[in-house]
Amino acid sequence: MELDIQCEEMNPSRWAELLSTMKSCKTIRLDDCNLSSSNCKDLSSVINTNPSLTELKLNNNELGDAGVEYLCKGLLMPSCNLQKLWLQNCNLTSASCETLRSVLSAQPSLTELHVGDNRLGTAGVKVLCQGLMNPNCKLQTLQLEYCELTADIVEALNAALQTKPTLKELSLSNNTLGDTAVKQLCRGLVEARCDLELLHLENCGITSDSCRDISAVLSNKSSLIDLSVGDNKIGDSGLALLCQGLLHPNCKIQKLWLWDCDLTSAGCKDLSRVISTKETLIEISLIDNNLRDSGMEMLCQALKDPKAELQELWIRECGLTTACCKAVSSALSVNKHLKVLHIGENKLGDAGVELMREGLLHPNCNIQSLWLGNCDLTAACCPTLATIMVAKQCLTELDLSYNTLEDEGMRKICEALRNPNCKLQQLILYDIFWSSEMDDELRALEESKPELKIIS
């Protein structure tokens, strides 16, 4: 049994009602429910008396250090079997880390700890690392995003990594680590016995100086399948170094996020080699890089390679225009694997959609999710979009937000939605202006097709 409630104010009677339900729940999620430390006292009792409870999510509540102290009393009980604990953005400080250290040291069932968006600081996380080093600790996932960490944390993290073969996921994004610390961390990861699968280092002050060491992790840790270094200014030179590791036979990367990394079309030559030769790679994000049409054309050429297995390409806000759409269409008509294409916030225009039509309608194309928000589209391209919506039964998600489609274009979209061959499940239409009559038509459509969700 699961209890999943979000964004609900908890009055005393509602809370009492939920407490009786919680006693038999396997999963409890109470994100954004205005909980406080007093609620944690009750939750501690639930943890203690409900041995089937394995997952507890309390994100975005003002629990404070006092609340965590109450929770941990339940977590330290022998009857507790909790495996996953989420306390993101709960107004915690370093004071909570001593309490959580006790739990890590004493509770071998706990495999996931998410404490991001809390002001734990370097001193607090050093205390957590002491708990990680305890032989009883079997933690697999540690999420420490936005925890106000500095370079000084790396020594303690590396010491913990050497003793923790169970650790599989480490997220340190949005902390001011810098190159020196990241290089030191990567050297520790290469030496560590853990089979790390996920490493997130977004917005950590990384430049190209760190990329050789990150590349060494990629080539030495075949377990690493998810790497995110987005929002770091690594540039094309840093990408070239990363690609050396990505192309290594040991590297089995599946998900690679390189958004806002100061990449240009010059870097697409190296990326194209990775896409066309690394058969394990199924998802790549290049959002907010100035790749331009020439860069996109290189990527499309790579997608046509028989060895390319990419399923998701996120290429929003990359300086693309109509000029690259013929290459996109050609790739779609050849590549059978691509299911998600985020190409919004590029000036593709109506002509670009027309050029992509052939590829999208090709039998080889298996696209499921197509994002065209803010692409300078007008009502003129809606007949083409309507044809794609009806003909492409694999297409279940379409984003047309921030385009001036107006009533004329929306009428064509509605016609397609009414067609029984249209299998769309989610249509995203933020900031598209239409009349009240059109609004009524969309609402009626949504009621007549329960499987369809229109988000506007």
Side-chain angles (χ1 to χ4, degrees), residues 218-238:
L218 286 163
S219 57
N220 281 277
K221 288 283 180 188
S222 59
S223 57
L224 186 63
I225 56 174
D226 184 334
L227 174 67
S228 182
V229 290
D231 202 12
N232 289 294
K233 307 305 178 189
I234 64 171
D236 296 327
S237 58

Side-chain angles (χ1 to χ4, degrees), residues 188-201:
L189 285 169
V190 168
E191 295 169 4
R193 291 186 295 138
C194 66
D195 292 324
L196 199 72
E197 295 176 4
L198 178 148
L199 179 61
H200 284 188
L201 296 168

Side-chain angles (χ1 to χ4, degrees), residues 28 43 47 53-58 71 82 84-86:
I28 296 173
L43 286 168
I47 293 167
L53 182 64
T54 58
E55 187 168 340
L56 180 61
K57 290 190 176 185
L58 301 171
L71 283 178
L82 199 75
K84 301 175 183 180
L85 178 61
W86 298 64

Side-chain angles (χ1 to χ4, degrees), residues 430-441:
Y430 288 121
D431 275 15
I432 295 179
F433 300 104
W434 52 66
S435 66
S436 57
E437 290 81 7
M438 180 53 62
D439 197 57
D440 291 341
E441 190 171 343

Side-chain angles (χ1 to χ4, degrees), residues 257-330:
W257 280 49
L258 297 166
W259 59 277
D260 195 12
C261 281
D262 274 5
L263 308 181
T264 71
S265 58
C268 291
K269 187 175 181 181
D270 291 307
L271 269 179
S272 295
R273 283 187 65 210
V274 173
I275 290 170
S276 62
T277 59
K278 189 57 63 173
E279 295 177 54
T280 56
L281 183 64
I282 57 174
E283 181 178 332
I284 188 166
S285 172
L286 300 168
I287 291 170
D288 200 14
N289 287 294
N290 193 28
L291 307 183
R292 299 197 174 272
D293 295 324
S294 56
M296 186 59 178
E297 285 167 2
M298 281 188 266
L299 297 179
C300 287
Q301 192 60 39
L303 286 169
K304 292 163 75 172
D305 192 288
K307 291 193 289 293
E309 299 275 346
L310 201 71
Q311 295 177 18
E312 296 192 25
L313 177 59
W314 298 54
I315 199 147
R316 195 170 69 238
E317 203 174 350
C318 286
L320 310 183
T321 72
T322 309
C324 74
C325 291
K326 190 174 181 181
V328 174
S329 183
S330 180

Side-chain angles (χ1 to χ4, degrees), residues 66 145 148 164 224 227 229 251:
E145 296 186 6
E148 299 188 1
K164 200 50 53 192
L224 186 63
L227 174 67
V229 290
C251 177

Side-chain angles (χ1 to χ4, degrees), residues 370-400:
L370 179 61
W371 291 61
L372 295 167
N374 198 15
C375 281
D376 286 357
L377 308 185
T378 72
C381 75
C382 288
T384 297
L385 289 171
T387 300
I388 293 164
M389 288 165 65
V390 172
K392 213 69 201 175
Q393 294 190 22
C394 56
L395 185 66
T396 57
E397 184 176 44
L398 179 63
D399 178 20
L400 300 172

